[in-house]
Amino acid sequence: MSGNPETTGPPDPGPRFSISPQERDALRVLARLAIANRLFPEQAVPLPGPPQGLLARPCGAFVTLKAGGHLRGCIGNVVGDGPLWDTVAAMAQAAAFQDPRFPPVASGEFETLDLEISVLSPLLPCPDPALVEVGRHGLLIRHAGRSGLLLPQVPVEWGWDRETFLAQTCRKAGLPADAWREPGAALFWFEAEVF
């Protein structure tokens, strides 16, 4: 049975990815503790092991640090190769101490850091760029040996529409703005819980 495309609209991009408020709180505490342990080794507290459920599953995650509203570090892993719990701890430390764009975070900055965690759903091929929803989907393009990724919150922060979001994802990869249309370009989408 086929539906009338004028009345059925585009296919549903699927269920939304989400994590519970308790899981969010646990990850916030973990990320701050991971950074504090590196800054204040004399007061280091062993990181707890991963709880059950989503936090023990492999998921990608990014940790973004801001100071005074300005970016201070951001490192992430698109695909989880271990428990989300471990990924968030590692990305928090990497954002604080290994982002090549910034000097390592100093102990005097710790209390003023704002921390944002983005937990990524599995990365899937985007079936149709027209289905991309600004604010819901993040994008990754791979083409000609290059790749670029933008998290779902980026186009919202910049006020971009879908076309601009696609173009900026290509530019992030160092590709022409319309590279997503080129043969051989692979466009992937994902969702993220950002908190």
Side-chain angles (χ1 to χ4, degrees), residues 31-32 35-36 39-40 63-73 92 95-97 103-116:
R32 290 196 80 79
I35 295 169
L39 284 173
F40 311 106
V63 175
T64 303
L65 304 177
K66 292 186 178 178
H70 299 285
L71 183 64
R72 185 61 181 85
F97 306 110
V105 168
S107 58
E109 297 179 88
F110 180 70
E111 293 300 326
T112 64
L113 286 178
D114 291 320
L115 190 140
E116 180 180 88

Side-chain angles (χ1 to χ4, degrees), residues 73-94:
C74 180
I75 299 283
N77 194 351
V78 177
V79 178
D81 54 3
L84 172 60
W85 187 257
D86 296 341
T87 299
V88 167
M91 295 306 103
Q93 288 187 342

Side-chain angles (χ1 to χ4, degrees), residues 154-179:
V154 172
V156 175
E157 291 170 1
W158 288 92
W160 296 338
D161 60 14
R162 179 187 305 117
E163 290 289 322
T164 306
F165 183 26
L166 287 159
Q168 291 296 333
T169 304
C170 294
R171 288 191 176 120
K172 179 81 182 278
L175 296 166
D178 63 349

Side-chain angles (χ1 to χ4, degrees), residues 122-192:
L123 196 63
L124 299 171
C126 179
D128 180 355
L131 297 177
V132 172
E133 293 179 29
V134 169
R136 177 176 179 183
H137 297 114
L139 295 175
L140 169 76
I141 187 162
R142 290 187 181 139
H143 185 55
R146 297 177 174 261
S147 66
L149 177 140
L150 289 175
L151 295 170
Q153 62 267 38
V154 172
V156 175
E157 291 170 1
W158 288 92
W160 296 338
D161 60 14
R162 179 187 305 117
E163 290 289 322
T164 306
F165 183 26
L166 287 159
Q168 291 296 333
T169 304
C170 294
R171 288 191 176 120
K172 179 81 182 278
L175 296 166
D178 63 349
W180 59 274
R181 299 178 191 268
E182 294 179 12
L187 185 66
F188 299 87
W189 65 356
F190 59 91
E191 293 187 19

Side-chain angles (χ1 to χ4, degrees), residues 13-91:
R16 291 192 179 262
F17 178 73
S18 67
I19 62 175
S20 74
Q22 295 80 9
E23 290 167 330
R24 290 176 181 211
D25 290 344
L27 290 174
R28 279 189 198 103
V29 169
L30 173 70
R32 290 196 80 79
L33 182 59
I35 295 169
N37 279 352
R38 285 276 300 272
L39 284 173
F40 311 106
E42 68 284 354
Q43 301 168 18
V45 176
L47 297 178
Q52 297 300 310
L54 176 66
L55 301 185
R57 289 182 18 214
C59 288
F62 279 72
V63 175
T64 303
L65 304 177
K66 292 186 178 178
H70 299 285
L71 183 64
R72 185 61 181 85
C74 180
I75 299 283
N77 194 351
V78 177
V79 178
D81 54 3
L84 172 60
W85 187 257
D86 296 341
T87 299
V88 167
M91 295 306 103

